[in-house]
Amino acid sequence: MTIHTAQLFSITPGSTEPIYRQLVEQVRRLVAGGQMASGDELPSVREVAQALAVNPMTVSKAYGLLETEGLLARRRGLGMLVAERPRAARSNAERAALLRPTLERAAREARELELDPDTVLTLFTHILKEES
């Protein structure tokens, strides 16, 4: 199955986290969470770069790192896909660790906005229950 760029990636241009790292983390989370399965084809570097208005080398770097760690595999002439045998399924703790940096950023922003923890948790619970 081919996954479309608009459904797959979103970046935060003003983030302190480099764009290539944002892409790497998103792919890791999608695979760990089961939204991407072995054999799923990723959009081409060119498609992702155009859709996100980023340099193709940024996308290429992200894909290369994921290939090096064994999460993605390159098929000559056909592009990148989720490896047939990605590393063993991740535990809940490993998946939670992938989410931690995002939650840390959200917590920092909530403190900057001077929101009380109950308000933030209520909002987060509401967002979790929404269908995407």
Side-chain angles (χ1 to χ4, degrees):
M1 171 173 91
T2 301
I3 299 171
H4 299 288
T5 307
Q7 299 169 335
L8 187 61
F9 299 120
S10 65
I11 58 167
T12 307
S15 173
T16 57
E17 183 175 33
I19 292 171
Y20 80 92
R21 296 291 317 160
Q22 291 180 48
L23 297 174
V24 166
E25 290 304 317
Q26 287 178 47
V27 172
R28 286 178 182 155
R29 285 193 299 267
L30 290 166
V31 172
Q35 289 90 359
M36 290 177 59
S38 296
D40 283 352
E41 188 176 329
L42 276 79
S44 73
V45 167
R46 182 178 298 137
E47 289 172 333
V48 175
Q50 287 176 342
L52 300 177
V54 298
N55 188 312
M57 291 303 295
T58 300
V59 179
S60 183
K61 182 175 185 175
Y63 279 11
L65 287 169
L66 291 162
E67 182 181 21
T68 299
E69 72 181 53
L71 198 61
L72 298 183
R74 186 179 312 270
R75 287 190 310 182
R76 177 175 267 173
L78 297 175
M80 300 296 278
L81 54 94
V82 177
E84 288 300 323
R85 296 177 190 243
R87 277 191 277 158
R90 295 179 187 256
S91 69
N92 275 344
E94 290 173 313
R95 292 191 316 242
L98 289 171
L99 181 61
R100 185 175 180 87
T102 302
L103 294 177
E104 287 172 346
R105 283 191 301 276
R108 183 175 53 251
E109 289 182 29
R111 285 189 295 273
E112 289 169 359
L113 293 168
E114 298 179 356
L115 293 170
D116 67 277
D118 289 335
T119 300
V120 174
L121 292 173
T122 300
L123 176 60
F124 185 64
T125 301
H126 178 72
I127 291 169
L128 276 175
K129 291 178 181 178
E130 290 176 356
E131 300 241 357
S132 54

